[in-house]
């Protein structure tokens, strides 16, 4: 009989961390698009300028955050 190994707590914490990051990205992009739409209407801009700029800024911020966190994690893993 094959024994099924239970996933460790580290695997669960990794899954939760990545699910959290994914949720933050989707919510951040949704809010950026919504705010961009409202701001474009309020400023009476005919082209969807802020609808494009705000989500790009949010993505850049998330990429920076992810790179910063992963580089910090590599540093701590290398010290062990």
């Amino acid at each position: 009989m094959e024994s099924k190994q239970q996933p460790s707590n580290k695997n669960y914490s990794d899954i939760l961390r990545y699910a959290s990051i994914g949720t933050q990205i989707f919510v951040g992009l949704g809010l950026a698009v919504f705010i961009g739409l409202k701001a474009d209407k309020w400023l009476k801009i005919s082209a969807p300028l802020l609808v494009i700029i705000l989500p790009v800024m949010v993505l850049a911020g998330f990429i920076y955050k992810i790179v910063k966190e992963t580089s910090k994690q590599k540093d701590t893993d290398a010290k062990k």
Side-chain angles (χ1 to χ4, degrees):
M1 288 190 178
E2 294 179 27
S3 64
K4 293 183 181 181
Q5 292 181 349
Q6 295 270 338
S8 66
N9 287 338
K10 185 177 185 304
N11 289 340
Y12 284 129
S13 66
D14 287 344
I15 290 170
L16 288 175
R17 186 174 79 216
Y18 293 130
S20 170
I21 291 171
T23 303
Q24 288 175 15
I25 290 172
F26 282 123
V27 170
L29 288 175
L31 284 173
V33 169
F34 178 76
I35 292 169
L37 284 170
K38 294 295 181 182
D40 280 339
K41 284 183 185 178
W42 184 68
L43 295 171
K44 297 177 183 167
I45 299 173
S46 61
L49 186 65
L50 294 174
V51 172
I52 296 169
I53 291 174
L54 290 178
V56 169
M57 290 173 61
V58 167
L59 279 176
F62 276 116
I63 290 171
Y64 174 76
K65 177 183 172 184
I66 290 169
V67 167
K68 187 176 175 185
E69 285 179 4
T70 56
S71 67
K72 192 185 309 181
Q73 185 180 16
K74 284 182 183 178
D75 289 342
T76 58
D77 288 345
K79 290 179 183 178
K80 287 184 179 179

